[in-house]
Amino acid sequence: MKGMIFTEFLDLVEEKFGLEMVDKIISQSDLDTGGVYTSVGTYDFSELLQLITHLSANTDISVDDLLMVYSEHLFAELIKSHPDLVS
C-alpha cells in the first residue's frame, strides 16, 4: 500500500486527536517500519490495520466509523491534489 495512505491517516489522527495520540497508537502497534512513512514508499496493509485498531481502542470510536471519516478525508485530499480529474 502506498505511503500516502499512511501519511494522510496519521495527519488526520494528529488533526483530530493530537500528536500524543499519533505517538500512542504507533507505540502500541508492532510495526516493521517503526511508524516512519514517506508518501512515496510502499508498506504492508497490516500496519494500517494495527494503527486503526489501536485508534479505535483509545477513542471508543468504532473501526467502521473511523474508516468512514478517514475515507472522506482521503478523497477530499485526493481531489485537492488532482482537481482536473473531477468534473
Side-chain angles (χ1 to χ4, degrees):
M1 177 170 283
K2 289 314 267 181
M4 183 190 131
I5 303 299
F6 289 82
T7 58
E8 284 299 327
F9 176 73
L10 293 176
D11 286 347
L12 177 66
V13 173
E14 182 178 357
E15 177 185 312
K16 299 289 185 185
F17 303 102
L19 189 56
E20 296 80 17
M21 182 63 75
V22 173
D23 289 338
K24 187 173 188 176
I25 64 173
I26 289 172
S27 296
Q28 291 173 335
S29 301
D30 182 23
L31 308 172
D32 289 339
T33 62
V36 178
Y37 306 103
T38 65
S39 61
V40 295
T42 302
Y43 307 98
D44 194 277
F45 179 64
S46 67
E47 292 199 10
L48 187 60
L49 289 176
Q50 288 184 66
L51 294 168
I52 292 170
T53 301
H54 286 115
L55 181 61
S56 175
N58 284 294
T59 60
D60 292 324
I61 301 171
S62 72
V63 170
D64 289 344
D65 288 345
L66 290 170
L67 286 172
M68 180 61 75
V69 169
Y70 174 56
S71 63
E72 291 170 354
H73 169 82
L74 179 62
F75 281 99
E77 291 301 315
L78 289 170
I79 289 168
K80 277 195 245 177
S81 298
H82 303 284
D84 53 309
L85 298 177
V86 180
S87 54

